[in-house]
Amino acid sequence: MRTRRTALHRAALAVVTAGIVAGTLAACGSGGGGSSDAMKAHGPITIWYSNNEQEVQWGKSMVSAWNSAHPKEQIKAQEVPAGKSTEEVIGAAITAGTTPCLVFNNLPAATGQWQKQGGLVDLSKFSDGAKYIEARSGSAADQYKSSDGDYYQMPWKQNPVMIFYNKAIFAKAGLDADNPDLSTYSSFLAAAQKIKDSGAAPYAIYPAPTSEFFQVNFDYLPLLAAQTGGKTFIENGKAAITNQDALDVANFWKTVYSDGLAGKEQYQGDAFADGKAAMAIVGPWAIAYYGDKIQWGSVPVPTKDGKAADQTYTFPDAKNIGMYSSCKNQGTAWDVLKFATSQEQDGKLLDVTGQMPIRTDLATTYASYFSSHPDYKEFGDQSARTVDDPTGSNTIAQMQALRDAYSKAVINGSGSVEDAFKAASDKIDKLQAQK
């Protein structure tokens, strides 16, 4: 749901400027890390978790389980303090030296700037750090490494986005409500046009048309991941938005907007829930949110020529765990981090929140969950094929450059996609060169 996602992400726009400024702050250093003494120290710690109701429920249960077994290493937990965004709160706390030991709500795209501030502990420096992370998350962990090859974040959970569609609207438009053909750009556009022409809904789909950097994660980047077989907008240290696949994705969306199949103005509410749009790009959280209010179905995001579901990638909308360098008892924090991401706790997270732990063999490890919650199975399968935002120190500014070009050429139809994306590519590369 765009409204819920916006509530989670919109204020993160502040990090565009706050984070860039933070990256130039004094001699906080470019590494982060943690002293060897702190990494061996044990005792009480503090943690923050998201204020999402289900995550609070899981967090309280996890903390209670740990505290009952560790009387000398108690966790004091709270929701992330109120602020314009979690990212702004964390950035300010790093500067002030008041971060908790662990935050269970780290935006992967912000990791590089917090690392540059010296705020994050290098988890690879623990004797079993990289080994634990890679054993749990497998090859998916690679995309969360920093440029030095180490882990400054623990891959934790994801909400792989797919196309949700309203079966009642599809049926009204004369489309197959059980097995709609949305796999190719041409079939998607044909279905979208039929929805509009039939009057079944004012729009076929209604991604947020606003300019915040993170919005590319919910329109352009999922389809880029799908079209390229698992790539994002920066590859091998260079912008990758002027190749044919990248331009095909952008021009597909440009057609959606130019043909009036998506709204160009911000919708005050939830267009999918309100029946203003027949489709939405959402993660598994939407299952519980929409519940029985809408008869919905889900399919992978489209590609130019169509790909099988088990070969289609998407954006994960992940949140990870960071350990912060102000933590005095990092030994305990590392033990808590491993406890909180154990197979047992991951299973409880899945059960309580419906969000997908970033771990290998998810579908088989929690086969009983997916058997009893069949609506989540497609998302569980999709979670094996996701690609996240890069982890560089200027990722957010780079995403903003991409969004600005997308807003101009794709949504508003001003000038060519090729020219706008070439200019954005140059900006992204210049930012990439800044360390």
Side-chain angles (χ1 to χ4, degrees):
M1 180 188 65
R2 193 165 59 82
T3 302
R4 178 184 184 275
R5 190 168 67 226
T6 298
L8 289 171
H9 294 284
R10 177 177 297 282
L13 181 61
V15 81
V16 176
T17 53
I20 295 169
V21 172
T24 64
L25 284 177
C28 287
S30 60
S35 71
S36 58
D37 288 344
M39 296 181 90
K40 296 175 183 176
H42 290 261
I45 67 167
T46 57
I47 71 170
W48 293 348
Y49 42 66
S50 166
N51 57 13
N52 173 277
E53 181 180 354
Q54 289 77 27
E55 287 182 53
V56 171
Q57 180 183 341
W58 170 82
K60 288 181 175 179
S61 174
M62 182 275 291
V63 168
S64 177
W66 171 272
N67 284 347
S68 66
H70 300 84
K72 295 183 179 179
E73 298 177 277
Q74 295 284 284
I75 300 172
K76 181 179 180 182
Q78 68 173 71
E79 298 175 26
V80 174
K84 290 184 178 179
S85 71
T86 296
E87 291 72 42
E88 187 179 59
V89 169
I90 291 173
I94 290 172
T95 301
T98 57
T99 45
C101 284
L102 298 172
V103 176
F104 288 75
N105 200 36
N106 278 29
L107 183 70
T111 299
Q113 68 187 38
W114 292 332
Q115 177 189 346
K116 188 174 182 178
Q117 279 185 263
L120 290 169
V121 173
D122 182 352
L123 302 178
S124 300
K125 300 302 184 187
F126 288 99
S127 61
D128 60 342
K131 181 179 179 182
Y132 176 80
I133 291 171
E134 290 167 1
R136 175 179 177 269
S137 300
S139 60
D142 290 345
Q143 64 185 311
Y144 297 109
K145 286 181 179 177
S146 290
S147 58
D148 62 3
D150 285 356
Y151 295 102
Y152 292 80
Q153 56 183 322
M154 174 72 197
W156 182 35
K157 64 181 179 69
Q158 60 175 320
N159 287 274
V161 300
M162 300 180 71
I163 300 289
F164 244 41
Y165 67 93
N166 186 315
K167 290 187 175 183
I169 291 177
F170 268 53
K172 186 177 179 181
L175 298 168
D176 187 337
D178 294 318
N179 295 290
D181 183 5
L182 300 170
S183 63
T184 68
Y185 293 168
S186 59
S187 62
F188 188 100
L189 291 170
Q193 192 67 52
K194 201 167 184 180
I195 289 164
K196 180 182 178 183
D197 291 346
S198 68
Y203 297 101
I205 194 166
Y206 210 133
T210 50
S211 62
E212 301 93 343
F213 73 91
F214 54 80
Q215 298 294 4
V216 293
N217 288 330
F218 305 102
D219 45 35
Y220 181 71
L221 292 182
L223 272 67
L224 181 66
Q227 182 62 24
T228 59
K231 295 180 180 180
T232 186
F233 72 102
I234 296 176
E235 292 293 326
N236 300 316
K238 294 287 186 180
I241 58 172
T242 59
N243 59 67
Q244 193 60 53
D245 281 336
L247 295 175
D248 283 345
V249 174
N251 279 305
F252 161 75
W253 278 116
K254 184 171 185 175
T255 300
V256 170
Y257 283 102
S258 64
D259 289 355
L261 306 175
K264 296 183 179 182
E265 302 298 326
Q266 182 179 356
Y267 181 75
Q268 300 298 330
D270 179 354
F272 186 69
D274 295 345
K276 300 297 183 182
M279 292 178 279
I281 298 180
V282 297
W285 55 263
I287 295 172
Y289 183 84
Y290 292 117
D292 296 330
K293 292 179 287 187
I294 295 175
Q295 288 183 302
W296 56 266
S298 59
V299 296
V301 298
T303 56
K304 184 177 181 180
D305 299 316
K307 292 185 179 181
D310 62 2
Q311 297 176 17
T312 304
Y313 281 74
T314 192
F315 174 72
D317 195 15
K319 286 294 191 298
N320 291 336
I321 307 169
M323 184 185 299
Y324 288 83
S325 51
S326 61
C327 179
K328 293 181 172 59
N329 293 317
Q330 293 173 16
T332 292
W334 176 241
D335 288 343
V336 169
L337 194 156
K338 290 188 289 184
F339 174 78
T341 57
S342 64
Q343 182 172 320
E344 179 183 6
Q345 286 298 325
D346 278 347
K348 291 179 177 179
L349 178 75
L350 177 62
D351 187 58
V352 171
T353 69
Q355 300 181 60
M356 308 291 152
I358 304 175
R359 58 184 305 135
T360 59
D361 302 319
L362 182 74
T364 53
T365 301
Y366 303 108
S368 61
Y369 173 85
F370 290 108
S371 176
S372 59
H373 298 78
D375 288 344
Y376 289 84
K377 188 177 185 303
E378 284 184 296
F379 288 95
D381 293 341
Q382 182 68 75
S383 70
R385 297 173 306 282
T386 59
V387 58
D388 214 321
D389 299 323
T391 59
S393 57
N394 293 313
T395 295
I396 288 172
Q398 292 169 319
M399 291 172 69
Q400 189 64 61
L402 173 58
R403 187 61 180 182
D404 290 345
Y406 185 92
S407 296
K408 175 184 177 182
V410 175
I411 298 176
N412 296 319
S414 176
S416 73
V417 166
E418 289 75 12
D419 289 345
F421 274 44
K422 177 59 171 66
S425 178
D426 292 341
K427 290 181 182 179
I428 289 167
D429 285 344
K430 288 179 181 178
L431 287 163
Q432 189 73 12
Q434 299 173 10
K435 303 298 183 182

